[in-house]
Amino acid sequence: YSWNLILTAKFIKSMTRAEKQATIDSLKDTFASNTYFYFTDTSGLNVEDISKLRRICFEKGIQIQVAKNTFIRKALDSCGKLSNEIEPALHGTTALMISETGNLPAKVLKDFRGDKDKPVLKAASIDSALFIGDNQLAALVALKSKNELIGDVIGLLQSPAKNVISALKSSSNKIAGLVKALEERNN
């Protein structure tokens, strides 16, 4: 079953046990192979808004899927990522957002919401750190991506060398002047 399939109650009831297990296995593979995933509540959004959110996620490289909470629990449990903290977030409508960048889904949610309150962030797992509740959205937006952190470290490492080179360049005239003055003094 594709990621874009919305699992309705009627559809789920008509699924065979093997189809349900295949869905759980697919979710398990997703959780096992990704370190950044968000659980959101998209209930209350109209079809137009959901389509717009899906389009934005597609453009940004974020996978989005609505899944049954029971399937999510079983998949998380089978790959060792289910915890007592995340369990309460798995109720109501749950849309998964999976990304290769930890803060990107949070930025998309914040920008998409604007002045509205939907979709709601239920929980997020970033490198095995859990963020529970919609009040964590600002903290997730502020997280730096791996590439941003690497850039910061490189900048910090280059900074002392740049300062030394700059000081030597600016004081080279002073040093040359001092050497010349000392030569003249000795003559």
Side-chain angles (χ1 to χ4, degrees), residues 2-23:
S2 86
W3 274 103
N4 295 324
L5 183 63
I6 297 178
L7 301 174
T8 62
K10 184 177 180 182
F11 177 77
I12 292 170
K13 286 181 184 178
S14 69
M15 290 175 76
T16 65
R17 183 171 291 212
E19 290 171 329
K20 289 177 183 178
Q21 188 59 49
T23 302

Side-chain angles (χ1 to χ4, degrees), residues 156-173:
L156 289 171
L157 292 173
Q158 288 178 343
S159 181
K162 286 181 182 177
N163 290 343
V164 169
I165 291 169
S166 174
L168 288 174
K169 282 183 178 178
S170 68
S171 64
S172 65
N173 292 337

Side-chain angles (χ1 to χ4, degrees), residues 32-80:
S33 62
N34 290 285
T35 55
Y36 310 120
F37 47 90
Y38 286 59
F39 301 103
T40 62
D41 181 358
T42 57
S43 64
L45 293 178
N46 60 32
V47 174
E48 182 182 338
D49 286 341
I50 289 176
S51 294
K52 182 180 176 185
L53 178 61
R54 286 181 176 275
R55 192 175 327 103
I56 292 168
C57 287
F58 178 78
E59 290 168 359
K60 302 276 186 178
I62 299 170
Q63 294 176 337
I64 185 167
Q65 172 190 1
V66 175
K68 186 173 180 186
N69 290 317
T70 304
F71 294 170
I72 294 170
R73 275 189 202 94
K74 287 180 179 181
L76 286 170
D77 189 37
S78 64
C79 67

Side-chain angles (χ1 to χ4, degrees), residues 99-112:
S99 173
E100 292 183 13
T101 306
N103 63 354
L104 188 57
K107 290 179 179 180
V108 167
L109 287 173
K110 183 179 181 228
D111 292 343
F112 181 80

